[in-house]
């Protein structure tokens, strides 16, 4: 079992209890989980691989997975920005799988 698969197995039941599900597109999900693990090796914390980290944990706190934007993204769009975490309705294709715009303020990404 790969490290990404182990992370998936560890996080899945914890997140589902909170109403968040992993995207059923396993290639997408595993790619993002691998990115989280790469960022943990690189920076010492698992920041969102869909965003550019500064390398300063305090500055990147809002984009440590699960990021501060997951809850409002899933509530509004059924998916977080990177499509890692989705709602049950999104997973069951009861709502459209549209683009999720970036919520992180521009002044924080640089």
């Amino acid at each position: 079992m790969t490290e990404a698969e182990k992370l998936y197995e560890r996080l899945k039941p914890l997140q589902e209890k909170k109403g968040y599900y992993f995207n059923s597109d396993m290639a997408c999900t595993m790619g993002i989980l691998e990115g989280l693990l790469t960022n943990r090796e690189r920076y010492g914390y698992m920041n969102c691989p869909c965003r550019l980290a500064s390398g300063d944990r305090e500055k990147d706190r809002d984009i440590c997975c699960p990021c501060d934007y997951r809850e409002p993204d899933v509530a509004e769009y059924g998916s977080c920005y990177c499509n890692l975490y989705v709602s049950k309705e999104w997973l069951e294709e009861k709502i459209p799988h549209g683009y999720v715009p970036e919520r992180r303020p521009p002044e924080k990404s640089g």
Side-chain angles (χ1 to χ4, degrees):
M1 188 179 283
T2 68
E3 289 303 309
E5 290 168 336
K6 289 176 189 174
L7 182 60
Y8 176 90
E9 292 300 322
R10 193 169 66 241
L11 293 177
K12 187 176 189 293
L14 299 172
Q15 297 305 318
E16 286 184 359
K17 285 180 189 173
K18 298 175 185 178
Y20 298 101
Y21 299 84
F22 281 125
N23 187 333
S24 59
D25 178 342
M26 292 307 286
C28 174
T29 296
M30 287 299 149
I32 295 169
L33 292 175
E34 287 167 6
L36 287 169
L37 292 167
T38 297
N39 285 340
R40 184 174 69 187
E41 284 179 30
R42 185 178 292 149
Y43 303 113
Y45 53 94
M46 291 196 301
N47 72 283
C48 174
C50 302
R51 296 177 168 107
L52 190 58
S54 69
D56 180 329
R57 187 183 196 125
E58 193 55 40
K59 287 182 182 176
D60 294 338
R61 185 170 301 283
D62 64 318
I63 58 170
C64 287
C65 190
C67 73
D68 290 352
Y69 313 104
R70 175 183 74 169
E71 186 176 339
D73 284 351
V74 173
E76 186 171 348
Y77 300 101
S79 170
C80 70
Y81 180 67
C82 16
N83 295 136
L84 177 63
Y85 289 111
V86 300
S87 68
K88 189 171 187 175
E89 294 77 19
W90 192 96
L91 194 62
E92 294 172 348
E93 299 190 17
K94 293 179 179 175
I95 60 174
H97 295 185
Y99 171 74
V100 179
E102 174 64 276
R103 286 183 194 269
R104 190 175 200 216
E107 62 273 10
K108 286 196 168 202
S109 4

